[in-house]
Amino acid sequence: MDDRKKNLLILRILLVCGGFGFFISIFGVFMPWPAVAEQLEGLGAKELPADPMLNYWLRMQAGANTFVGLFFFAIAMNPKKYSVVLPFAWILLIGEGILLLIWGLSLRLSPLPFVVDSTFCLIIGVGILLASRLLQKEMLITDAGANE
């Protein structure tokens, strides 16, 4: 396998990992509130009341994350075709990683889970940035993207 194909494979793997990192939220769309509250409490949240607004906000966020995951899966299927949106993918992940780190530290949360979430976003985001730049250099992906 030549370097171009290896770099493309690495990029696809990173995009799929990023996709799963967000798409996992689909469970939050469909799980009943008591099960969601139990999961969040297991991650360190205090006891969560059965508040309709908290329930709604959870579903809103879980739905948004699910669609972000689908966005990453779509790019992974054909990174060359969607090369013009690759910067959005790594910017989203790096930005989210920084945001989670800042808020986790400022809220003085226990390192788990925010360090894991932040590190995941930063590693996958930087990986997508580097892999996409390598492929652009190799002319496998160009700024023209879909015009090829």
Side-chain angles (χ1 to χ4, degrees):
M1 183 182 291
D2 66 24
D3 284 347
R4 288 182 193 183
K5 288 183 180 179
K6 283 181 189 174
N7 289 337
L8 183 59
L9 179 62
I10 290 168
L11 177 60
R12 283 188 164 140
I13 290 169
L14 289 166
L15 287 164
V16 167
C17 288
F20 279 120
F22 284 96
F23 189 77
I24 190 84
S25 296
I26 195 163
F27 292 112
V29 174
F30 299 108
M31 287 174 65
W33 178 256
V36 169
E38 183 180 329
Q39 290 295 314
L40 293 173
E41 290 166 12
L43 292 171
K46 306 260 189 263
E47 186 174 339
L48 295 170
D51 183 318
M53 280 309 298
L54 288 177
N55 195 328
Y56 170 78
W57 286 327
L58 167 86
R59 309 311 169 163
M60 180 175 62
Q61 185 60 47
N65 283 352
T66 299
F67 285 110
V68 170
L70 291 173
F71 168 73
F72 276 85
F73 291 149
I75 299 170
M77 289 175 60
N78 194 343
K80 189 173 180 180
K81 179 178 178 181
Y82 298 113
S83 64
V84 296
V85 296
L86 278 171
F88 294 110
W90 61 259
I91 289 169
L92 183 146
L93 280 164
I94 293 172
E96 180 72 2
I98 292 168
L99 183 84
L100 294 172
L101 186 61
I102 289 169
W103 279 105
L105 291 170
S106 68
L107 293 170
R108 297 192 170 132
L109 298 177
S110 169
L112 287 176
F114 90 88
V115 170
V116 173
D117 294 336
S118 181
T119 302
F120 173 83
C121 289
L122 291 170
I123 288 172
I124 300 296
V126 170
I128 292 170
L129 167 64
L130 296 175
S132 62
R133 293 282 164 91
L134 278 174
L135 289 170
Q136 282 178 335
K137 266 185 167 175
E138 296 168 356
M139 303 304 284
L140 184 60
I141 294 179
T142 68
D143 288 335
N147 294 333
E148 292 185 346

